[in-house]
Amino acid sequence: MGCVTMPQQVPTVPASQVPDDAVVLDVREDDEWVAGHVEGATHIPMGEVPARLDDLPEGDPLYVTCRGGGRSARVAAWLNANGYDAVNVGGGMGEWQAAGRPMVSETGNPPTVV
C-alpha cells in the first residue's frame, strides 16, 4: 500500500449491518475469493488497489471486506485518505458468514471463508 499516514479511526460497520444493496470491494487474495465471496462484489487484492483505482466499483460508500477486517481496514483508510468514501466491514467475511449473509463460490462447492 506504500508509505501513507493512516487516520486513527476507520469508519466500520459490522457485517450483519451492511445494506443488502451495498457496493462491496473484496481485497482478499485469489484463493480466498474463489472459496467464497459476496455475490456482486468486486475483487481487487489489497496490494493491487493503488494501481487499479480505475477498476473500483462506483459506490458511496464503498464497503471494503477481507477475511477478518484487518486488511480491509487498511484499504478503507487508504481510500478515505485519497478522496474516496470507504467503510470497513468489521469482522470481514468471517463475520459475514457467521451472520448467515449470502455468499457464492467459484468452485461449485458451498461457499466458505478460508
Side-chain angles (χ1 to χ4, degrees), residues 8-90:
Q8 294 296 347
Q9 295 290 358
V10 177
T12 301
V13 64
S16 61
Q17 294 179 19
V18 174
D20 291 339
D21 62 349
V23 177
V24 177
L25 172 64
D26 190 320
V27 297
R28 297 176 299 153
E29 296 300 318
D30 292 341
D31 62 322
E32 296 173 288
W33 167 265
V34 167
H37 56 271
V38 176
E39 186 170 15
T42 297
H43 177 230
I44 303 175
M46 178 179 161
E48 297 177 18
V49 170
R52 294 183 56 193
L53 294 177
D54 288 344
D55 296 332
L56 288 176
E58 296 284 328
D60 190 20
L62 180 60
Y63 291 85
V64 185
T65 191
C66 66
R67 183 178 60 221
R71 287 173 284 179
S72 55
R74 289 184 62 201
V75 171
W78 188 87
L79 288 170
N80 286 330
N82 285 279
Y84 293 85
D85 184 9
V87 175
N88 182 43
V89 177

Side-chain angles (χ1 to χ4, degrees), residues 14-22 38 93 95-104:
S16 61
Q17 294 179 19
V18 174
D20 291 339
D21 62 349
V38 176
M93 291 303 297
E95 186 178 306
W96 186 277
Q97 185 176 37
R101 303 292 305 263
M103 294 172 49
V104 295

